[in-house]
Amino acid sequence: MEKYIEIVDAIKTFGSVQALRGVNLTVKKGEVVLIIGPSGSGKSTLLRSVNRLERLNSGRILIDGESVTDPNSDIRHIREEVGMVFQSFNLFPHLSVLDNITLAPISVLKKHKDDAIEIAKTLLTKVGLSDKEKAWPEQLSGGQQQRVAIARALAMNPKVMLFDEPTSALDPEMIKEVLDVMTELAREGMTMLVVSHEMGFARAAAHRIIFMDAGQIIEEAPPETFFTSPREERTRTFLQHIL
Amino acid sequence: MKGSPLTDRNSKSSDKTTINVTDGTLIPLKDEGSLLTSWNIAFFGAVLLLILLPILSPDPYLRILSFVPDGLIATFSVTLVSIFFALLIGLFAGLGRISQKLFVNRIATVYVEVIRGIPLLVQLFYIYYALGPLLKLKGPAAAILAMSICYGAYMAEIFRAGMQAIPRGQMEAALALGMSRSMAMRRIIIPQTIRIILPPIGNEFIALLKDSSLVSILAVSDLLRRGREYASTSFRYFESYTVIALIYLVMTLFFSRLVAMMEERLRHRGKVH
């Protein structure tokens, strides 16, 4: 399989804090990679660097051969192809569910309004919210909002999806509905980079698990190996805490 | 301080310690249910006086009332034109205040700090008299220029606070969808900001309406000046200024109610749809 995302020697500091201390990671097309690690380990920073919401101090990130980190690259064009889902959903509260989904396809991709609406309706059906197109974000539960957020990202027809702790802000009973959508997406062959501690999702959908600590990748392995026989002591300690 | 309801937003979590003071005018609260609310007493009392006084004593009250409408038009023209330019200046200065470009940020911040540190009356004198030979502006134009520049600074702070009140994730979500920063501003940040800042802007409008009485010193025949003209020819000082005060009161109370209704509607928006 071809390399799709390539992260080379990524270093990022916030003031005196070293968030990323030389991270190397390659994600293949269609691969689902789950990043776990204690808070402050740099996993979100790594994810946010992939579409340049954070700028690296040094190192390179390529998506499908295009450089994200090169200041001269057309980052907006790259972002069109990289969907992102946030912990706090970040739906646009002044727009209806349908407008949330169609805004970027219409204004960024210059899609015709009718086409954008049609795509949005298909996606809403896919995430199980076909009856909510006229609703306002604040009328939806957290799980519903997150599913709209996934639909909004998918409406750009991205080649890769980034998930930054998509279920951390959700009540337990809503986590499953979001994970189901993500699992379905993984089955369809979407390339996914997911920061999450959802072990059920890891087992069901992830091809590879990355364990990060203190700005570095400590260990990576397929889920079954990772959970049953982690090599590193730090990984074992962490797994004991979360399992 | 002007615009304080927004700048105090950090204390919102501890609502009990938040004080809500505006310099526009009294904002009627909805839960004051009865007919004898302070707003009703003040507003209908003033309206009643404005009706009764001319009936009971046409000379001088009816004469005064027929003498001042020109002034009312001048007051409103100055207020409306000034608020328009103040909003325009405020939007750009507010964007400048949150700009990451240091130069732009400095200019906007210095403008806001300088203007807010000088009394409006001094600014009016400055533009009309001190810069008069240079600008060669007539009274009304100088008044509008001074009021726009002055209120623009306060508006800038409202815009800044409003935009900063929008969670950072909104901009990030817009950028992640491939929008440019300016498109995200236009489509995501500013529409949400407007909802938040409409009430404080309404307050500024009321404050500006009142402050517009200051322009009477620049040979602008506004409401106050017309009253003064009548008073100085008829020597009816008490009656003239009573009428002027009542007219201002009716106007500001009327607009404060409008602002309150708007605030109420905005609060429920999204739920009614």
Side-chain angles (χ1 to χ4, degrees), chain B residues 9-234:
Chain B
R9 73 194 152 85
N10 291 336
S11 55
K12 241 184 188 163
S13 51
S14 51
D15 250 338
K16 279 172 193 147
T17 55
T18 312
I19 59 165
N20 200 352
V21 183
T22 66
D23 63 350
T25 183
L26 177 74
I27 299 291
L29 296 170
K30 223 197 170 179
D31 45 9
E32 283 186 67
S34 85
L35 262 177
L36 288 176
T37 59
S38 41
W39 188 89
N40 280 342
I41 294 172
F43 182 76
F44 291 110
V47 171
L48 204 65
L49 278 175
L50 278 177
I51 295 170
L52 283 183
L53 286 175
I55 294 174
L56 297 178
S57 140
D59 185 28
Y61 287 109
L62 197 58
R63 284 163 183 265
I64 300 171
L65 269 181
S66 55
F67 189 77
V68 297
D70 301 0
L72 211 54
I73 292 168
T75 289
F76 268 105
S77 318
V78 168
T79 303
L80 288 176
V81 177
S82 301
I83 203 96
F84 174 77
F85 285 112
L87 280 171
L88 217 59
I89 296 173
L91 172 62
F92 286 104
L95 285 168
R97 290 274 282 132
I98 57 167
S99 171
Q100 282 157 5
K101 295 188 182 91
L102 190 66
F103 180 68
V104 176
N105 193 310
R106 277 291 139 76
I107 290 183
T109 307
V110 167
Y111 158 69
V112 168
E113 292 305 332
V114 167
I115 296 301
R116 291 201 307 170
I118 301 172
L120 176 56
L121 187 55
V122 176
Q123 291 180 41
L124 282 164
F125 278 165
Y126 202 85
I127 285 182
Y128 190 59
Y129 295 112
L131 299 181
L134 194 75
L135 300 173
K136 295 193 172 55
L137 289 176
K138 293 219 163 65
I144 286 167
L145 182 65
M147 304 262 289
S148 304
I149 291 174
C150 177
Y151 270 82
Y154 292 100
M155 293 292 186
E157 283 303 89
I158 293 177
F159 274 102
R160 177 196 58 74
M163 287 186 276
Q164 285 179 340
I166 308 297
R168 216 171 53 144
Q170 291 289 310
M171 175 57 93
E172 289 183 347
L175 293 179
L177 285 165
M179 293 189 206
S180 66
R181 209 161 258 279
S182 68
M183 184 190 279
M185 270 294 179
R186 272 183 289 118
R187 305 297 298 264
I188 305 300
I189 307 297
I190 291 178
Q192 291 184 58
T193 305
I194 287 173
R195 267 218 248 171
I196 306 178
I197 66 177
L198 269 180
I201 282 182
N203 261 318
E204 290 300 300
F205 172 78
I206 294 165
L208 202 153
L209 180 66
K210 289 190 294 179
D211 277 352
S212 74
S213 62
L214 291 173
V215 307
S216 60
I217 56 150
L218 302 192
V220 179
S221 289
D222 76 327
L223 185 58
L224 176 59
R225 193 178 177 94
R226 290 294 281 173
R228 202 169 72 186
E229 282 167 14
Y230 188 88
S232 57
T233 50
S234 66

Side-chain angles (χ1 to χ4, degrees), chain A residues 48 51 53 76 79-80 82 84 86 90-95 103-104 107-108 136 138-139 152-153 156, chain B residues 168-170 172-181 183 187-189 191-192 195 268-271 273:
Chain A
R48 291 161 55 83
N51 65 350
L53 287 182
R76 271 156 60 192
R79 281 172 179 158
E80 287 169 16
V82 181
M84 186 160 195
F86 299 86
N90 297 346
L91 291 183
F92 305 131
H94 60 302
L95 300 177
L103 175 63
S107 62
V108 177
W136 296 83
E138 66 176 25
Q139 296 170 318
R152 178 176 69 178
M156 296 295 284
Chain B
R168 216 171 53 144
Q170 291 289 310
E172 289 183 347
L175 293 179
L177 285 165
M179 293 189 206
S180 66
R181 209 161 258 279
M183 184 190 279
R187 305 297 298 264
I188 305 300
I189 307 297
Q192 291 184 58
R195 267 218 248 171
H268 291 296
R269 218 196 119 180
K271 286 173 191 131
H273 283 268

